[in-house]
Amino acid sequence: MRVVKGGSREEWADYVAEMLIARLQVRPALRLCLPTGLTPVPIYERVAAAVAAGRASFRETEVFLLDEFGGVEPDDPGRCDQMLRRFLLANVNLPDARFHRFRLDGDIEAECRAYEQAIGAGCDLTLLGLGGNGHIGMNEPGALPDSLTRRVDLAPETTAASARYFAHDRLPTWGVTMGMATIMRSEEIWLLAAGARKAGIVQRTVREDVSPSLPASLLRSHPTTLLIVDDDAGREI
Ligand code: PGA
């Protein structure tokens, strides 16, 4: 895992956004896995501005949503697909048919199998946030390296942290997520962290033993993962 220190939060967001814009320019049919959470929001704003300015396009791109909360209404603004639409997809020219997301009102196991099939040999590029407990997507501590897209229980701290997305107190206790193996099939992975509250978990991700007890550490076995931190998130490494 190569560590890139991206400077201030603004510089970090500029850096990641420009790298993503460059990838879209070189490979317009990019197969891209995208996360939600607060970390990528400033990056998505910059990429949407680049699309509006004609510097990049999603017309041929395929987007796979990393994970989704279970047990919430399909139109809840706190759902991951709703957040990705709001922060990015509503502002770029991705055809809706190429936005892959989870429908959780039917057979969830079949939905997960279909998702794996759609991903196939892997995404070209996967962007990831970093959970305070080291989770990746909803792969909580204990998630195995060979895990595939599946239903998972959320760690209590992940349920509690989801309160920032929901305008009510019926917080999700489960979700579906691409597995660690699904993510590791990606040709490139960018693990993103910004802000002082991530400094401790960034340090653990880089320094602790590679172990399922810290899912982010598993990415160190991937040949091209970049950990891209701003000054605050990277201050302990
Ligand atoms: P955040 O969440 O981007 O809001 O910090 C990251 C995560 O929990 O995966």
Side-chain angles (χ1 to χ4, degrees), residues 65 68-86 99 101-106 166 168 170:
L65 183 62
E68 187 58 270
F69 292 116
V72 292
E73 294 297 317
D75 59 351
D76 192 309
R79 260 182 75 112
C80 299
D81 58 359
Q82 298 280 339
M83 286 196 277
L84 191 62
R85 279 194 197 284
R86 207 157 59 244
F99 176 32
R101 58 194 182 281
F102 298 95
R103 286 183 187 78
L104 300 181
D105 46 0
F166 294 98
H168 52 74
R170 300 179 307 284

Side-chain angles (χ1 to χ4, degrees), residues 21 24 46-58 88 91-93:
I21 292 161
L24 289 164
R46 286 161 169 77
V47 170
V51 171
R55 293 184 56 224
S57 172
F58 280 75
L88 179 69
N91 307 317
V92 301
N93 53 348

Side-chain angles (χ1 to χ4, degrees), residues 76-188:
D76 192 309
R79 260 182 75 112
C80 299
D81 58 359
Q82 298 280 339
M83 286 196 277
L84 191 62
R85 279 194 197 284
R86 207 157 59 244
F87 292 122
L88 179 69
L89 301 182
N91 307 317
V92 301
N93 53 348
L94 177 78
D96 199 50
R98 284 208 294 277
F99 176 32
H100 301 265
R101 58 194 182 281
F102 298 95
R103 286 183 187 78
L104 300 181
D105 46 0
D107 180 341
I108 292 176
E109 274 185 33
E111 178 75 4
C112 292
R113 277 196 303 273
Y115 216 73
E116 281 290 325
Q117 259 186 354
I119 294 168
C123 291
D124 298 320
L125 172 62
T126 296
L127 272 57
L128 299 170
L130 175 59
N133 64 358
H135 72 209
I136 291 297
M138 293 178 190
N139 292 284
E140 300 283 17
L144 297 176
D146 62 358
S147 55
L148 298 175
T149 303
R150 69 205 184 287
R151 176 179 167 145
V152 288
D153 291 328
L154 299 181
E157 59 268 30
T158 304
T159 292
S162 75
R164 63 194 189 279
Y165 307 132
F166 294 98
H168 52 74
D169 56 8
R170 300 179 307 284
L171 300 179
T173 57
W174 63 276
V176 289
T177 184
M178 285 190 194
M180 291 308 301
T182 323
I183 291 166
M184 300 277 271
R185 294 205 301 273
S186 187
E187 189 180 320
E188 280 190 280

